[in-house]
Amino acid sequence: MTNDRPWLPYALILPSVAFLALLFVVPLVQTVWLALSENGAPSLANIRTMAGDINFARSVQNTFLLALAVIPVQIAIALAMGTLVSKIGAGRETILWIWTIPLGISDLAAGMVWLAILQNTGYLNSLLFGLGLIERQTAWLTYQTPVALFIGIAIAEIWRGTAIVMVIIVAGLNQVPKEFREAAEVFGAGPWTRFWRITLPLIRPALQSALILRTVLAFEVFAVVYALGGRNFPVLVGEAYAWQNQNQNYGVAAAYAVLIMVISLAATLVYLKIVKVDPERLP
Amino acid sequence: MANIVIDRIRKAFGAFEALKEVSLTINDGEFVSLLGPSGCGKTTLLRIIAGLETATAGDIRIGDRSIIGLPPKERGLAMVFQNYAVFPHMTVYENVAFGLRMQKADEARVKKQVEKAAGLLHIEPYLDRYPNKLSGGQRQRVAVARALAVEPKVLLMDEPLSNLDALLRLEMRTELKTVLQAAGTTTIYVTHDQTEAMGLSDRIAVMHGGVVEQVGDPVEIYNHPATRFVGGFIGNPPMNFITVPVERGHVAAGAEQLSVPQGAGDSVVLGLRGEAVALVPREAGLEMQVRVAEPMGSHLLLTGSIQGQPARVVLPPSEAVRSGDVIGLRPDRNRITWLSPESGKSYPPSAA
Ligand SMILES: Nc1ncnc2c1ncn2[C@@H]1O[C@H](COP(=O)(O)OP(=O)(O)OP(=O)(O)O)[C@@H](O)[C@H]1O
Ligand SMILES: [Mg+2]
């Protein structure tokens, strides 16, 4: 790095920052203004309408619960898959490719796939019926079965979103030379110790990226939920969509959008603080 | 007891044979160097002993117990990796302490051992730092300290001093030797540096192309190389090899008649250390055309040819030989190695 010109890196990223500002900050300011104004004057009316809506509390709760249920499972599965695939020699690429197929499917299509499995006349019921476990078609995705609905949506989300986490984690694992694990092994560390004390700390940067990305995406969850539960399972983006299209109330929709953004930014900040990456401690 | 028996170990990477039947016995407490050119399989052999690589065939026993199927952590040895493998996310202190922590040693012992090892390798000033900020040589010493801290019965070292400056290397070498000897550690030490191997080792195993060409104590290997490769690889300048005709069981070296071992054919290779000669009048010995004479202060280095074959000899600095001279050399009969021109192997010294 050039130490005598510390401003140089900043100068180099300036164009991209300016570009982002133009295409991101302007609409952002417009949205925030839309949320925090009424008839051209500053007002909290939209926020009040949003907070007073019967679906508001449930959509916040559902979104957070879903994120809380889905993210840890996805990270755990991705770590397991990444570790497994790193032990494989031949056929590694093929396995990675198969595992990333859900990535190539749009989230609405993913929702449809799981709808085909979980709906009344779906594959799950057929299977359970065939095995003699149920006597007639069971509804999983209704207002009366919130737990089943939640689990169904969580599974669909895990299925759809784990691959992206895994790709990031595999990239992180590839950066860790095998000698570190080998040295630990020679000095008496078992597989579990090696994972916790060597591998995990060394893939911190990848883990941080994966967590941030996954969390932001989790708060934006919509299409899968919409396909499986409609408004039986209200989530934040779903509410924004409903206010925008059904109620034609752009102000309240904007209020939801701002809320989602604030939550995402806060989560990112938390990760940056908790999963700290100290460049001094990297290979 | 921590003697190591390496029994006909073979290792193939696909179609490539990295090790072709390597056998080697290292006695308890012995210091054995593996010496050989790049790519001859030294690291591969160490990794197999450590359990990081699976041998294609063969057995390894430590203290008469076969360890070939055991995972690395159950083999009870320590290793210094060629590329150090010092953990970047731990301080130097925690790196050195790692093995002890895995053994669940109490804090007092950890501290004592870390300080001892760090002192020996002169890395105390860096104990609180992260390896990222250390030089290659400093990192290498952290790797050695990490291995010494556990006081292993068996220690494997893969070029542990290669990145140090000459002075520090000499000092570390002596200290390592002292400590390992005092502790009775059985050591396998990989090096490229033949002076290091000669100075440190009880015995040296010279490897070449996946086989051990010769095992012996440094003097024996220097004076009586088992193969042409060993003679050429060890010593500076390397041994001279001159193919000479045999007449009635003798080779003529000017006025001298040198008797060759039984079994030699029409010609034989005369293996001669550069300093195992004396200057004699031209017709009284082997004739050498001197191309370049280099006075080195401590000795005089002559480069030229004997019977049309390249040769390099070393004479006392006082001899007055100049570039372009033709001189006579009388070989020291006790320091001649006779080799077969076909196989490149030497005839046993006793047969001469
Ligand atoms: N994992 C591997 N796959 C294929 N070939 C390998 C592998 N590891 C080593 N080899 C080959 O085996 C041979 C011996 O390698 P090794 O690392 O043991 O050499 P070395 O004697 O330690 O060399 P150096 O002195 O350069 O460290 C080399 O030709 C190398 O290319
Ligand atoms: Mg090597």
Side-chain angles (χ1 to χ4, degrees):
Chain A
M1 192 74 95
T2 43
N3 267 337
D4 50 340
R5 281 181 297 178
W7 47 266
L8 187 63
Y10 298 98
L12 289 174
I13 60 166
L14 188 68
S16 61
V17 171
F19 188 72
L20 260 183
L22 217 67
L23 288 179
F24 180 72
V25 174
V26 172
L28 178 72
V29 170
Q30 280 174 346
T31 307
V32 172
W33 175 246
L34 202 58
L36 299 176
S37 68
E38 193 167 37
N39 303 325
S43 150
L44 290 178
N46 288 325
I47 306 286
R48 271 198 295 275
T49 314
M50 172 178 79
D53 186 63
I54 50 157
N55 267 345
F56 175 71
R58 278 187 58 214
S59 67
V60 172
Q61 190 192 355
N62 283 343
T63 309
F64 270 86
L65 277 182
L66 203 54
L68 230 58
V70 165
I71 296 168
V73 177
Q74 285 185 328
I75 297 284
I77 295 179
L79 278 170
M81 284 160 74
T83 314
L84 282 181
V85 87
S86 69
K87 297 227 189 302
I88 288 175
R92 186 169 170 273
E93 313 299 325
T94 316
I95 292 172
L96 267 179
W97 184 74
I98 291 172
W99 276 351
T100 49
I101 286 177
L103 259 188
I105 299 174
S106 82
D107 39 359
L108 190 60
M112 293 307 190
V113 168
W114 283 89
L115 187 65
I117 297 173
L118 297 175
Q119 68 187 347
N120 290 4
T121 55
Y123 297 111
L124 180 67
N125 276 343
S126 305
L127 180 72
L128 292 178
F129 187 76
L131 292 173
L133 293 172
I134 51 172
E135 263 139 39
R136 72 187 86 84
Q137 282 177 4
T138 313
W140 303 105
L141 305 172
T142 67
Y143 194 64
Q144 286 88 4
T145 55
V147 177
L149 178 59
F150 180 81
I151 293 175
I153 291 172
I155 290 177
E157 263 298 288
I158 289 168
W159 177 81
R160 189 187 66 84
T162 303
I164 184 75
V165 182
M166 186 200 63
V167 167
I168 298 171
I169 285 183
V170 166
L173 286 170
N174 284 343
Q175 300 266 304
V176 179
K178 69 178 188 331
E179 279 80 7
F180 292 134
R181 265 165 282 151
E182 289 177 346
E185 200 174 355
V186 166
F187 285 100
W192 204 237
T193 317
R194 287 203 298 279
F195 178 76
W196 284 108
R197 301 230 11 210
I198 309 294
T199 308
L200 211 53
L202 288 175
I203 60 166
R204 253 180 125 92
L207 209 57
Q208 191 193 53
S209 311
L211 273 171
I212 291 174
L213 187 69
R214 243 338 280 169
T215 307
V216 170
L217 288 178
F219 286 115
E220 290 173 3
V221 66
F222 173 53
V224 169
V225 175
Y226 208 69
L228 289 178
R231 278 185 91 181
N232 286 338
F233 190 88
V235 287
L236 288 171
V237 178
E239 289 310 297
Y241 176 76
W243 279 96
Q244 173 102 3
N245 285 322
Q246 285 158 25
N247 305 358
Q248 297 280 319
N249 188 332
Y250 303 134
V252 178
Y256 270 105
V258 170
L259 177 65
I260 293 164
M261 189 191 70
V262 168
I263 294 174
S264 297
L265 286 180
T268 305
L269 217 61
V270 168
Y271 284 134
L272 287 177
K273 279 272 174 269
I274 296 181
V275 194
K276 233 205 199 108
V277 174
D278 182 353
E280 194 170 279
R281 303 185 198 183
L282 292 179
Chain B
M1 280 292 280
N3 62 319
I4 308 171
V5 179
I6 299 165
D7 189 8
R8 285 165 292 171
I9 284 289
R10 295 155 51 105
K11 175 68 186 177
F13 293 108
F16 174 72
E17 280 211 296
L19 297 174
K20 312 166 185 153
E21 275 220 356
V22 170
S23 293
L24 182 63
T25 302
I26 296 128
N27 300 320
D28 187 33
E30 199 179 18
F31 193 118
V32 170
S33 289
L34 294 181
L35 185 62
S38 190
C40 69
K42 306 180 295 290
T43 299
T44 306
L45 183 58
L46 276 205
R47 287 173 57 82
I48 289 174
I49 299 171
L52 299 171
E53 205 87 64
T54 321
T56 311
D59 191 22
I60 294 179
R61 293 182 290 279
I62 294 184
D64 298 328
R65 183 175 71 127
S66 174
I67 56 158
I68 202 81
L70 296 181
K73 59 177 285 196
E74 282 166 39
R75 298 191 178 195
L77 40 78
M79 179 162 173
V80 180
F81 287 72
Q82 187 165 9
N83 55 359
Y84 328 143
V86 169
F87 306 126
H89 60 294
M90 297 182 194
T91 60
V92 170
Y93 185 98
E94 280 309 315
N95 262 288
V96 179
F98 188 83
L100 297 157
R101 298 249 190 257
M102 291 300 116
Q103 296 172 357
K104 310 245 181 311
D106 59 77
E107 204 53 46
R109 180 168 140 78
V110 170
K111 192 164 181 322
K112 183 175 138 252
Q113 289 297 97
V114 170
E115 276 167 7
K116 202 163 107 187
L120 196 74
L121 288 138
H122 304 339
I123 52 170
E124 300 113 314
Y126 323 122
L127 281 176
D128 295 327
R129 288 212 226 159
Y130 286 93
N132 204 330
K133 290 283 161 67
L134 301 182
S135 74
Q138 289 164 341
R139 260 183 253 187
Q140 197 163 35
R141 281 179 281 154
V142 175
V144 177
R146 177 174 67 185
L148 290 183
V150 294
E151 296 188 334
K153 286 237 156 34
V154 173
L155 177 58
L156 310 176
M157 293 198 268
D158 202 343
E159 305 190 27
L161 307 180
S162 61
N163 244 320
L164 307 187
D165 62 78
L167 207 65
L168 192 57
R169 189 188 307 194
L170 200 67
E171 184 186 343
M172 293 286 116
R173 181 161 112 191
T174 325
E175 299 211 12
L176 265 185
K177 173 96 182 171
T178 319
V179 177
L180 295 175
Q181 215 159 33
T185 312
T186 309
T187 309
I188 303 184
Y189 188 98
V190 168
T191 178
H192 273 141
D193 181 343
Q194 44 169 301
T195 45
E196 199 168 282
M198 305 278 264
L200 277 171
S201 317
D202 296 321
R203 283 186 306 149
I204 298 176
V206 183
M207 289 183 68
H208 180 223
V211 297
V212 173
E213 297 240 331
Q214 187 175 8
V215 188
D217 67 64
V219 177
E220 182 186 330
I221 287 201
Y222 183 81
N223 284 331
H224 298 289
T227 63
R228 195 168 168 147
F229 170 80
V230 175
F233 189 72
I234 305 256
N236 188 16
M239 188 173 246
N240 297 299
F241 297 104
I242 295 141
T243 310
V244 287
V246 178
E247 272 166 39
R248 278 169 276 114
H250 286 80
V251 163
E256 301 261 336
Q257 289 290 321
L258 307 170
S259 59
V260 301
Q262 280 160 9
D266 292 343
S267 68
V268 71
V269 176
L270 169 64
L272 193 58
R273 284 285 170 202
E275 73 280 2
V277 291
L279 186 65
V280 292
R282 183 174 164 178
E283 56 285 348
L286 283 169
E287 204 175 85
M288 174 171 178
Q289 276 81 33
V290 180
R291 198 152 47 80
V292 185
E294 295 167 89
M296 309 297 279
S298 63
H299 59 268
L300 178 67
L301 177 65
L302 306 179
T303 310
S305 59
I306 296 172
Q307 302 196 359
Q309 297 162 59
R312 226 177 229 166
V313 301
V314 172
L315 291 178
S318 52
E319 302 285 10
V321 180
R322 252 166 303 198
S323 305
D325 286 359
V326 178
I327 56 172
L329 297 170
R330 191 183 63 222
D332 178 346
R333 281 167 190 267
N334 296 321
R335 294 190 57 192
I336 291 173
T337 302
W338 298 105
L339 305 99
S340 151
E342 291 86 26
S343 68
K345 294 204 167 92
S346 67
Y347 297 102
S350 53

